[in-house]
Amino acid sequence: MTNRPTTEERLNQTAPKLLLRYFLLLMTIIYIGLGICLWVAPIALNLTPTVRRILGGVFVLYGIIRFVRIYREHFQPSKHDRTIR
């Protein structure tokens, strides 16, 4: 196909990307915080302590996995951005 610029390149939308990056990081912090809260705090939910701990562990694990993926995608320079000197 033709070598046309993408829509993002044509519009040069860097502000929404920056906002999205930090929103995604905030969500990972929320997932990890919720998991820790379920793990240690005596929340008045109709859950047994075992179920709360398992659910808290799942939230923490999901938050960590999500953080790693977001960091790799949005904060690490890609291989194409690096220049060979």
Side-chain angles (χ1 to χ4, degrees), residues 36-70:
I36 291 171
C37 186
L38 280 172
W39 186 274
V40 296
I43 299 172
L45 295 174
N46 291 332
L47 300 173
T48 63
T50 305
V51 173
R52 273 194 345 198
R53 288 187 182 122
I54 291 172
L55 190 59
V58 168
F59 273 113
V60 169
L61 183 64
Y62 178 70
I64 291 170
I65 291 171
R66 190 171 163 96
F67 174 77
V68 170
R69 289 180 60 206
I70 289 168

Side-chain angles (χ1 to χ4, degrees), residues 67-83:
F67 174 77
V68 170
R69 289 180 60 206
I70 289 168
Y71 180 77
R72 284 183 183 168
E73 184 178 337
H74 293 282
F75 290 94
Q76 260 186 348
S78 67
K79 293 177 183 177
H80 301 292
D81 291 345
R82 297 179 191 154
T83 57

